[in-house]
Amino acid sequence: SPQALRCGRHQLDLSYPRVMGILNVTPDSFSDGGHHVALDDALRHAERMLAEGAAIIDVGGESTRPGAASVTAQEELDRVAPIVEALVRELDALVSVDTSSALVMRETSQLGAGLINDVRALEREGALEAAVTSGLPVCLMHRQGEPGTMQQAPSYSVPVEEAVAAYLAERIAVCEAAGLERERLLLDPGFGFGKTLAHNLRLLNRMQHLTTFALPLLVGMSRKSMIGQVLDRPVEERLHGGLALSAMAVERGAKIIRVHDVAATADAIGMAWAVCQEGREHEAH
Ligand SMILES: Cn1c(SCC(=O)Nc2ccccc2)nc2c(=O)[nH]c(N)nc21
């Protein structure tokens, strides 16, 4: 897969695995009266994640939690635009925008965002054209169903890794046909999006198969229910399990790891990468 990705004014070195830090944008936090406090808190959180080694800050305005209320594109834009603008201006951060909305993609790419992170893989009306026009790299993620219902009874007629690969192959083809060059694409199996625990474990175990697309793989398992289901831990006690999963994802070819806990994950994937690279130094020259 490509060793570097052009992300707007940033160049992202993907010759080694990178950490994407999750910035929680609490609903309506920037559009109401408490404007500056919430924005300052978000900037401080982002600054800390960058200091801890995050290469990318992921900002999302629409909660994708199962059963979450849907927001209009304008409401989503009102939430994310101020923080994207501030992250770019104050921290010169490489910002990925977690959105499925064409409007948000267009506006935030103008504000200096460096990556589009779409959990709906550009399926929404106008999203593909907006992504093409933005010139930014796009992460295409697999998911089955909609947030409200996807976890009721996930099921696949073929092995889940085949369904994911087939879906991503189709989305890649659609993007290329629309003039979004392949080199701008990242792939993501979408852990927890329409998958049972068994599906999630199988997907991670067989993730090496997705490397055949020769595109960078992005994974997000941080604090997700797959950890709680195995270890019986509440969401605030899932760091240790998440570190194990991040290391295993790197062993299986993941290049961007989307997490809440940046410093700990940077160390875990640093060790996993060192082991992966062992014995390859002679390959270098
Ligand atoms: C925006 N986004 C999300 S939101 C779900 C989430 O974090 N839930 C969650 C958060 C905290 C605790 C438990 C669950 N997951 C992914 C992912 O796996 N890949 C990519 N590319 N983007 C993603």
Side-chain angles (χ1 to χ4, degrees):
S1 65
Q3 296 291 291
L5 206 55
R6 185 104 214 102
C7 303
R9 69 191 181 290
H10 289 272
Q11 178 92 346
L12 179 64
D13 180 355
L14 288 178
S15 63
Y16 63 102
R18 311 306 296 271
V19 178
M20 171 189 272
I22 299 168
L23 187 63
N24 38 30
V25 171
T26 45
D28 301 326
S29 53
F30 304 130
S31 50
D32 63 10
H35 187 83
H36 302 294
V37 168
L39 196 55
D40 287 352
D41 287 350
L43 278 176
R44 261 191 295 278
H45 183 199
E47 198 164 31
R48 185 168 139 243
M49 291 196 285
L50 292 168
E52 291 184 356
I56 309 164
I57 302 294
D58 194 43
V59 180
E62 179 207 13
S63 170
T64 46
R65 287 187 185 294
S70 62
V71 293
T72 67
Q74 189 57 48
E75 283 165 348
E76 186 186 333
L77 182 59
D78 292 345
R79 278 183 198 167
V80 292
I83 184 64
V84 171
E85 194 170 24
L87 287 168
V88 168
R89 188 184 60 241
E90 307 294 330
L91 307 176
D92 191 26
L94 170 42
V95 179
S96 75
V97 183
D98 154 20
T99 185
S100 300
S101 149
L103 171 71
V104 175
M105 290 176 192
R106 266 196 307 278
E107 296 303 313
T108 53
S109 62
Q110 294 295 326
L111 292 173
L115 197 149
I116 292 169
N117 178 23
D118 185 4
V119 299
R120 292 182 182 79
L122 301 179
E123 291 196 36
R124 273 241 178 103
E125 181 70 30
L128 180 52
E129 292 70 22
V132 170
T133 311
S134 76
L136 296 181
V138 181
C139 179
L140 303 174
M141 194 193 83
H142 172 272
R143 62 188 226 148
Q144 186 187 66
E146 283 298 321
T149 57
M150 66 187 179
Q151 285 309 110
Q152 279 159 6
S155 79
Y156 295 83
S157 50
V158 297
V160 61
E161 71 274 16
E162 290 178 17
V164 168
Y167 173 81
L168 292 174
E170 191 260 339
R171 297 311 299 161
I172 292 167
V174 165
C175 288
E176 288 188 290
L180 207 162
E181 58 276 15
R182 188 188 179 79
E183 292 68 41
R184 273 209 264 157
L185 297 175
L186 301 101
L187 305 179
D188 185 330
F191 289 102
F193 285 86
K195 281 102 177 175
T196 62
L197 172 62
H199 292 139
N200 287 317
L201 298 178
R202 182 178 174 105
L203 260 182
L204 177 56
N205 227 355
R206 290 163 177 75
M207 201 172 58
Q208 205 96 32
H209 294 286
L210 291 179
T211 56
T212 52
F213 287 109
L215 292 173
L217 296 183
L218 192 158
V219 297
M221 295 177 276
S222 184
R223 301 185 185 173
K224 288 190 176 177
S225 58
M226 64 191 284
I227 301 168
Q229 288 164 311
V230 170
L231 302 178
D232 189 20
R233 291 281 197 291
V235 66
E236 61 276 7
E237 292 171 24
R238 292 175 182 169
L239 168 59
H240 304 163
L243 295 176
L245 293 175
S246 293
M248 288 186 273
V250 163
E251 287 175 322
R252 291 161 175 80
K255 278 293 179 303
I256 298 178
I257 318 292
R258 179 181 179 273
V259 299
H260 302 83
D261 308 281
V262 173
T265 303
D267 284 357
I269 66 174
M271 291 314 301
W273 186 241
V275 172
C276 288
Q277 289 304 91
E278 187 281 326
R280 289 198 190 166
E281 48 275 5
H282 66 272
E283 285 170 7
H285 30 271

